[in-house]
Each structure stands twice: as structure tokens, then as C-alpha cells.
Amino acid sequence: MTTTLDTTFTEPAPSALLLLGQGRDMASERGVECAGELPAPSDPDLVERARAARQALGDRAFVLGHHYQRDEVIDFADVTGDSFKLAREAAARPEAEYIVFCGVHFMAESADILTSDEQQVILPDMAAGCSMADMAEINQVEEAWDVLTDAGVADRTVPVTYMNSTAAIKAFTGRHGGTVCTSSNAEVALRWAFEKSGGVDGTGKVLFMPDQHLGRNTAVEKLGMSLDDCVVFDPRKPDGGLTREQLDAARMILWRGHCSVHGRFSVRNVEQVREAVPGVTVMVHPECTNEVVGAADLVGSTEFIIKALDAAEPGSSWAIGTELNLVRRLANAHPDKSIHYLDSTVCFCSTMNRIDLPHLVWALESLVAGRVVNQIVVDADDAHWARVALDQMLALPGL
Ligand code: 13P
Ligand code: SF4
């Protein structure tokens, strides 16, 4: 039996997964209540209300929008970007009293760390967490470090944490001389960390958290390591499920975490799109598995994907493996190119999607009324050490 792939870009049903209401139990999410009266999603004046509130706030507010946000939210962003660009943008706006972060919790935490005490960072919906960031908890990371210490390898190991991690883990990384990285600078960050721990060809090691795929893809595809140089530390197993010998031999100690959106793309998706669309270029985010990255033509962060499509020839065909809001926007922005979603069954990032127009209107109107809602505050000690790790990232060579 042959399978046919529908390669036309189809508009998915407007997120049945999303719960706009209040007081729902989102067990694994960070917040369950909207602390106030949320405008009804059906309110026909929502756009006008957002516009009016935005105008009333003027330069007192700066609205950041991650590329995975909904169109209705991106329309009100003063700047859009990937997590690295948004961290830089937040740090570069000392004059803004309020940073309204349309993204997810760990990004807003980083913005709070990088801005002054006088500035307040607001996340319009506290339930906008990240399932990958939730896969590493600080107590698990502390325990993992104890395992590395007992195995005699901690003093040769530099921790590198992906931006998609809690402020507490960034602080751990700062305390232990490591750095934060994002998908657009992971290669530079790893080279720096290996240099510090004994050279890329030496005896040094990196503990990479929490995305095993970004860590593995960068080590193997960019630094030329082998898959055997990588081991996976599983925080739910005694000693991470690794022997002393395995830890001693490893170069990359990868945390057992992944993105539930990017982890769904498969090699079969790549094969199917190649069969269905002759000449297609397959481009994926480095949070995809190493098999998918190996089967693709190009791999890169959201900013990389956007730039590659901007530079692409009219008439060229592309299949993109990243979150759907971004791919849909890119397809609309490039009508002269044929842009396909790599897997037609993969949905939006449900936590990114929690920020919708009603939450944005609620947050902005509250600020206009003098009420700061959903403020993200990182405690002072964590903020200090997380800033050390974030500043290290911002100082990496060539960025
Ligand atoms: P970027 O670093 O490309 O912005 O990606 C963040 C993210 O959450 C990807 O899933
Ligand atoms: Fe987290 Fe994945 Fe969503 Fe990015 S796409 S915010 S990594 S769950």
C-alpha cells in the first residue's frame, strides 16, 4: 500500500488543545489561574483594546515576541526574535519600565535577570511554561553533579545549559563556571566550554542540559565528535544510569530531556516529503533528533530558518521542521516559494500558544490601570549567578 502525503500547506484547526479559561489544572504547567478578569476571546473589540492599551503605555512598555507566538500576539510585538535575540533586546532596553514577554516562562526569567531592578517583566499567561525546561529540576541537577564528583570527573566538566532551563539551573551553571547557550550559539558555547575543560581534543567534558538533541547534534554535526562520545544522564535512574567508566570515557554528558514538539519529527517525514516534493530542501531546528538532522539538508535556529527563507530563490521548495505558528507565518510571507510543514500532524507548541490576545489585552490594560500583573521575579542569589552564566553567553566570541 502506498501512502500519499498531503503536502499542501493546510491551516490546522484553531488549537483545540488550548485552554483559554481560568482555574484549569495544568498539572505540569507553572500557573493555573489568571489573576483577574480575562476578556472573552469572542470580544470583537480585542484588537482595538490592545491597540489602545499599547498606545497608552508608549515607551514605558516594550513588547517582545518569540517567533513561535500566535499572529494575533506578534502583531503587537515591538520586536520579534529567537530566544537569543530576545535576551539581547531585553538587556538593551533600560528605558522601558515594563518588559511584556510574549514567549515562555524561562525566557521571561532571563529577561528579568538581564534587566535592572527598576524594570518589571510580565508574562501575560503564567501557564506558558516549557515542557523541556520542566525535564530538569535543580535538585536533580545538584544530584547529578554529586554523581560526577563521586566518579572523579566533575573537575574536568563544564556545565552548559540551554536557554530553555529554569533560572535556578542557569545559576548552577554560573556557579560552576559554565555558560548558557541558545540554538543559535550552541556551537560557539560548546567550543568555549571544551576549551575551558581541556580542549576539544583533550580530556575535558561538558554536562549539557536539558536538551539531549541540541547537545548531541552540536557535538556530532558541528564539533565532529562521534555518537559514542555522548552519554545520556537519566535523572530518574540511580547514578543517571551510567557507570564510572562510561562517565570517564564520555565527552558529552547529555541530560535526558527533549522538546515534545520537535521530538515528533521523524526520518519518515523527511522521506515522505522528498518523495512528494521533488527538489525540496528540508530544514529543521536542532531540537530534532540526530537521525532527523542527519536526514535533513539544513539545520538551524529559528533566526537561521527565517534568514534562509529570506535568501531563497523564488520558486524553490522547502519543508520546515519547527513549530507551526512560525512555519505558517513564513509560508504566508513567501508566496513565491513553496513552503511545507515537515509533518502535517504536528501541532503548535501548546505552552507558547497560551499567550493569546485576551491574555495580552488583560496584561496591557492592567498596566495602564497601574496594576502590574504576572510579574516574573527571580530571587536575588539565583539572579546573580544566572547572570554570570548569561553574561558569559553574551560575551562568547563571534556573537
Ligand atoms: P530558539 O532558541 O530558536 O528561539 O528556540 C527556542 C525554543 O523554544 C525552540 O523550541
Ligand atoms: Fe519548549 Fe519545545 Fe515549546 Fe520550545 S517548542 S518552548 S522547547 S516545548
Side-chain angles (χ1 to χ4, degrees):
M1 199 180 82
T2 53
T3 327
T4 50
L5 174 70
D6 178 8
T7 60
T8 50
F9 190 83
T10 45
E11 191 73 23
S15 20
L17 280 174
L18 303 177
L19 300 165
L20 294 168
Q22 298 144 279
R24 304 295 297 258
D25 179 13
M26 312 282 181
S28 69
E29 300 300 342
R30 290 179 186 276
V32 294
E33 297 272 347
C34 175
E37 271 311 306
L38 208 57
S42 56
D43 181 342
D45 296 330
L46 275 182
V47 171
E48 201 33 59
R49 285 173 64 174
R51 221 175 260 147
R54 183 67 199 90
Q55 206 177 356
L57 288 166
D59 290 345
R60 294 173 63 207
F62 193 66
V63 182
L64 299 171
H66 188 270
H67 290 312
Y68 293 166
Q69 291 286 295
R70 300 159 176 260
D71 289 350
E72 68 197 38
V73 169
I74 288 291
D75 285 347
F76 290 96
D78 295 313
V79 69
T80 59
D82 64 3
S83 51
F84 180 60
K85 182 174 166 194
L86 294 182
R88 286 230 271 219
E89 290 283 350
R93 306 284 156 178
E95 69 287 355
E97 221 172 302
Y98 308 121
I99 302 286
V100 180
F101 211 116
C102 300
V104 288
H105 192 271
F106 68 81
M107 297 180 184
E109 278 189 333
S110 297
D112 181 52
I113 293 161
L114 291 167
T115 50
S116 72
D117 290 349
E118 288 69 48
Q119 295 176 284
Q120 293 170 306
V121 176
I122 286 109
L123 182 66
D125 184 350
M126 286 299 210
C130 163
S131 55
M132 175 202 285
D134 287 344
M135 289 177 195
E137 290 168 16
I138 183 60
N139 59 325
Q140 295 175 320
V141 171
E142 301 275 10
E143 280 167 23
W145 196 254
D146 288 344
V147 172
L148 267 53
T149 305
D150 290 346
V153 299
D155 57 354
R156 286 179 282 145
T157 304
V158 172
V160 176
T161 192
Y162 191 23
M163 186 69 109
N164 302 28
S165 58
T166 62
I169 291 174
K170 291 187 179 81
F172 168 92
T173 305
R175 280 189 197 100
H176 290 86
T179 186
V180 176
C181 78
T182 70
S183 54
S184 46
N185 60 29
E187 178 183 352
V188 186
L190 276 192
R191 286 191 190 282
W192 171 88
F194 275 113
E195 216 45 66
K196 192 172 175 191
S197 70
V200 175
D201 302 321
T203 56
K205 302 176 195 300
V206 165
L207 169 63
F208 192 91
M209 304 165 288
D211 184 15
Q212 59 171 300
H213 300 306
L214 177 65
R216 187 181 291 109
N217 288 330
T218 311
V220 173
E221 308 299 329
K222 307 283 185 189
L223 270 62
M225 292 188 178
S226 79
L227 288 172
D228 292 340
D229 289 324
C230 308
V231 291
V232 177
F233 189 101
D234 184 343
R236 288 159 306 180
K237 290 187 178 161
D239 294 338
L242 297 169
T243 62
R244 277 170 174 251
E245 291 69 30
Q246 284 172 312
L247 283 171
D248 198 48
R251 308 298 315 285
M252 282 291 283
I253 304 168
L254 304 167
W255 193 262
R256 186 160 183 207
H258 68 273
C259 166
S260 41
V261 176
H262 292 91
R264 291 189 52 177
F265 294 111
S266 67
V267 172
R268 185 71 198 121
N269 294 148
V270 178
E271 290 166 355
Q272 283 180 321
V273 83
R274 289 201 195 283
E275 281 161 23
V277 187
V280 71
T281 302
V282 179
M283 181 158 57
V284 300
H285 194 278
E287 287 175 12
C288 293
T289 65
N290 186 245
E291 292 76 20
V292 170
V293 165
D297 302 300
L298 294 170
V299 56
S301 70
T302 46
E303 284 287 314
F304 174 91
I305 291 170
I306 292 166
K307 284 186 188 140
L309 286 176
D310 283 345
E313 291 292 321
S316 54
S317 298
W318 296 79
I320 312 296
T322 193
E323 204 268 349
L324 191 49
N325 274 315
L326 174 60
V327 182
R328 189 175 58 173
R329 227 171 358 255
L330 288 169
N332 290 334
H334 294 277
D336 58 332
K337 293 154 204 165
S338 153
I339 297 178
H340 307 265
Y341 194 58
L342 185 54
D343 175 3
S344 53
T345 65
V346 174
C347 62
F348 302 99
C349 169
S350 58
T351 47
M352 281 277 182
N353 256 314
R354 292 193 194 284
I355 313 273
D356 56 6
L357 199 50
H359 282 87
L360 182 60
V361 167
W362 171 70
L364 294 177
E365 287 183 347
S366 300
L367 292 177
V368 173
R371 277 192 321 274
V372 177
V373 293
N374 285 10
Q375 189 185 351
I376 301 296
V377 185
V378 177
D379 85 69
D381 190 51
D382 275 352
H384 169 78
W385 285 107
R387 173 136 203 171
V388 169
L390 280 162
D391 281 346
Q392 177 54 63
M393 173 184 82
L394 295 170
L396 285 171
L399 296 179

